[in-house]
Amino acid sequence: SRSHAVFTIRAQRLTGSKPAGNKKDDRKSLSSRVNLVDLAGSERIAKSGADGLRLREGCAINQSLTALGLVIKQLAEIQRDPGKRRRNSVDERTKAIPFRASKLTFLLRESLAGNSRTFMVGAVSPASISADETISTLRFASSVKRVKTVALQNVNKKQEAVASLQAEVARLAEMLANAGAQGAGDATVKTLHDDLEERERL
């Protein structure tokens, strides 16, 4: 291909019952994004004999791939230094990395150094005429392999605590209703009632 392609899929999962009418939607939301990236291969001008518009396209492709290679190299060096890893946070470590050097690295910032899981597939050719390109691709894949990313859910602790209390209130209300229906003792009903009131205050 004569250009890079970035295809982004955004997904959202809602947990809970859909509110009726115009009521507020209090369902839990979990969002994710998938970046599918097709990188154009680097081009050797002497071999391709390109000129004019194709020459400018080839230069732009090579420039963006060089910027991507530099970003990946710096990320690998940061992760290889355990002292630097302990001293600085993720944001501080990646602050000096030139993600804005090209549109490609800017778009792939989250995939390379954010909350993500990243996989790479390298396309190589068995033809001897493509030996230089194959070696370059394998070297690039080897450097990418040294960059480790971890995907974690960004959970709001306050919302998590509220959801836990709401579940506890519902459970106590159900226990209180069952105790009344089964003719449980006054002491048991009073204890459940007090627990329910305490959770509702929280």
Side-chain angles (χ1 to χ4, degrees):
S1 63
R2 299 293 302 168
S3 64
H4 307 304
V6 180
F7 183 66
T8 301
I9 303 172
R10 297 179 185 272
Q12 183 182 46
R13 185 180 71 184
L14 298 175
T15 304
S17 301
K18 185 177 180 179
N22 296 325
K23 291 184 178 179
K24 183 180 178 182
D25 192 345
D26 292 326
R27 290 177 292 177
K28 286 185 181 179
S29 172
L30 182 62
S31 301
S32 64
R33 182 175 62 189
V34 179
N35 288 329
L36 302 176
V37 185
D38 179 18
L39 296 177
S42 60
E43 188 170 308
R44 296 180 182 274
I45 306 302
K47 183 182 292 187
S48 66
D51 59 0
L53 178 61
R54 291 183 64 84
L55 176 61
R56 291 196 295 273
E57 288 176 347
C59 290
I61 290 170
N62 291 344
Q63 184 177 5
S64 62
L65 289 175
T66 299
L68 178 61
L70 180 62
V71 165
I72 289 173
K73 179 183 177 183
Q74 292 189 19
L75 286 171
E77 288 176 351
I78 287 173
Q79 294 189 358
R80 192 168 51 191
D81 183 357
K84 189 178 292 186
R85 232 181 7 244
R86 286 193 299 268
R87 289 193 299 271
N88 300 330
S89 67
V90 175
D91 290 339
E92 289 174 342
R93 295 201 312 264
T94 59
K95 195 176 293 184
I97 295 178
F99 286 108
R100 295 180 178 271
S102 76
K103 293 180 180 178
L104 178 64
T105 52
F106 182 74
L107 288 173
L108 297 182
R109 176 174 181 173
E110 290 299 321
S111 298
L112 295 172
N115 183 7
S116 65
R117 294 190 66 182
T118 304
F119 301 89
M120 176 189 170
V121 178
V124 297
S125 170
S128 59
I129 194 174
S130 303
D132 291 339
E133 287 82 358
T134 296
I135 292 173
S136 176
T137 299
L138 292 175
R139 286 175 176 166
F140 181 70
S142 178
S143 63
V144 171
K145 191 169 64 174
R146 294 198 298 268
V147 178
K148 306 298 182 183
T149 57
V150 179
L152 299 172
Q153 288 187 17
N154 292 325
V155 180
N156 188 316
K157 298 298 183 182
K158 182 178 179 180
Q159 291 180 352
E160 191 176 13
V162 169
S164 177
L165 286 171
Q166 287 175 341
E168 181 71 10
V169 166
R171 187 182 67 83
L172 288 171
E174 183 180 359
M175 289 176 61
L176 183 59
N178 291 337
Q182 295 173 4
D186 293 341
T188 303
V189 173
K190 186 178 184 307
T191 300
L192 289 173
H193 191 271
D194 291 343
D195 288 343
L196 180 59
E197 286 186 342
E198 181 180 354
R199 294 297 188 279
E200 287 177 340
R201 282 198 302 271
L202 294 174

